[in-house]
Amino acid sequence: MVECSQINNTSIIGTSAVKYDSTPLPCTDVNTCDGLNDILSKFDAVICDVKANVDILTEEIITLTEDVMVITEDITNIYSQLNVCCPTTTTTTTVVPTTTTTTTIVPTTTTTSSSTSSTTTSTTSTSSSTTSTSTTATPTTTTTSSSTSTSTSSTTTTTTTTVAPTTTTTTTPSGLRQGSISSTSHPTDACSSTLDTGCWISNTAGIPGSEVVSVGSIVYTDPGGTIPFVGDGNFYHIEIDFSSASTNCQVNGTGNVDSAIGICY
């Protein structure tokens, strides 16, 4: 044990005379009643151990830093080699706008004329006529498109096919005039009845523009003159197309116009 000199005539108490009188310290292994010398020795051991670990960690950090620097250099070298062996190629694609032209052919319209001939006697007037009706169908247009594309251009071809219109012609047999008849009859006067049924009439009398039915006329419900209008023997309101006069007359079950024909005003 080393003797310490006095300072200012004061006696110095050695560390060996000092004891630790508190609870144990597990991290430094200091126990109750340990002398100060023992406590300092334990502290020194802990500090030396910590210092040694710090030195080891420092060396490992330095090594890792050097490794990272080497890896960075390797990556840079790889990129340089890629640029030498495999240069980057840029491809530019230009799209050309597509233009489509459609041509529509206007359908041809056929005009049909009607001719009428009339023979008149002092008592009976007989008229015959031929009427043709033309129907023009709207043409059908079919468009077919084909397209071819590359990385630098685009070409589109359009083909238009037009189907010729179909014309249907209906011919009314000679001697029949188209008109209208009321679907309801009246015992005496049907002039006020509505003309709501289409019909075709034979043996009409008068000139074009003022034609009327006559005794012996037959009323049909079809343009071919094969289906007679079935009357009930009473009076019906009848008018020929484009005529300025209409009649009030009796029509029997076979479509025949009987006597007693009156003009409706």
Side-chain angles (χ1 to χ4, degrees):
M1 181 179 297
V2 178
E3 293 292 337
C4 298
S5 60
Q6 294 183 350
I7 299 175
N8 297 327
N9 297 319
T10 301
S11 297
I12 302 300
I13 298 175
T15 56
S16 59
V18 178
K19 299 292 184 179
Y20 176 70
D21 60 359
S22 185
T23 58
L25 303 176
C27 291
T28 54
D29 196 27
V30 175
N31 296 312
T32 304
C33 298
D34 280 350
L36 182 56
N37 290 336
D38 293 335
I39 293 173
L40 293 175
S41 296
K42 292 178 179 180
F43 281 180
D44 183 66
V46 170
I47 292 171
C48 290
D49 186 54
V50 170
K51 183 179 179 299
N53 290 332
V54 169
D55 291 340
I56 293 172
L57 289 175
T58 301
E59 291 180 359
E60 291 179 352
I61 290 173
I62 293 172
T63 302
L64 289 174
T65 302
E66 292 176 351
D67 292 341
V68 170
M69 293 176 65
V70 172
I71 292 172
T72 302
E73 291 179 359
D74 291 340
I75 293 174
T76 302
N77 292 333
I78 291 173
Y79 274 116
S80 299
Q81 293 175 4
L82 288 175
N83 289 331
V84 172
C85 73
C86 307
T88 302
T89 302
T90 301
T91 302
T92 302
T93 302
T94 302
V95 178
V96 179
T98 301
T99 302
T100 302
T101 303
T102 302
T103 303
T104 302
I105 300 177
V106 179
T108 303
T109 302
T110 303
T111 304
T112 304
S113 60
S114 299
S115 63
T116 304
S117 63
S118 175
T119 302
T120 306
T121 64
S122 59
T123 58
T124 305
S125 176
T126 303
S127 98
S128 63
S129 63
T130 300
T131 303
S132 295
T133 304
S134 296
T135 303
T136 302
T138 303
T140 302
T141 302
T142 303
T143 303
T144 303
S145 298
S146 62
S147 179
T148 303
S149 299
T150 64
S151 63
T152 58
S153 64
S154 175
T155 304
T156 298
T157 303
T158 300
T159 303
T160 302
T161 303
T162 302
V163 179
T166 302
T167 302
T168 303
T169 303
T170 303
T171 303
T172 302
S174 177
L176 294 184
R177 299 290 289 146
Q178 189 171 354
S180 301
I181 186 172
S182 60
S183 61
T184 58
S185 63
H186 191 274
T188 58
D189 186 2
C191 285
S192 61
S193 298
T194 303
L195 297 166
D196 55 6
T197 303
C199 64
W200 286 261
I201 308 163
S202 68
N203 303 322
T204 58
I207 62 175
S210 61
E211 291 178 278
V212 293
V213 298
S214 63
V215 177
S217 293
I218 301 176
V219 182
Y220 297 97
T221 59
D222 68 311
T226 60
I227 305 173
F229 178 83
V230 180
D232 58 8
N234 285 328
F235 288 82
Y236 289 84
H237 188 192
I238 302 176
E239 180 179 280
I240 297 173
D241 288 354
F242 308 111
S243 176
S244 59
S246 62
T247 56
N248 174 50
C249 55
Q250 290 176 297
V251 181
N252 62 25
T254 58
N256 286 277
V257 177
D258 294 333
S259 58
I261 298 174
I263 303 297
C264 297
Y265 296 98

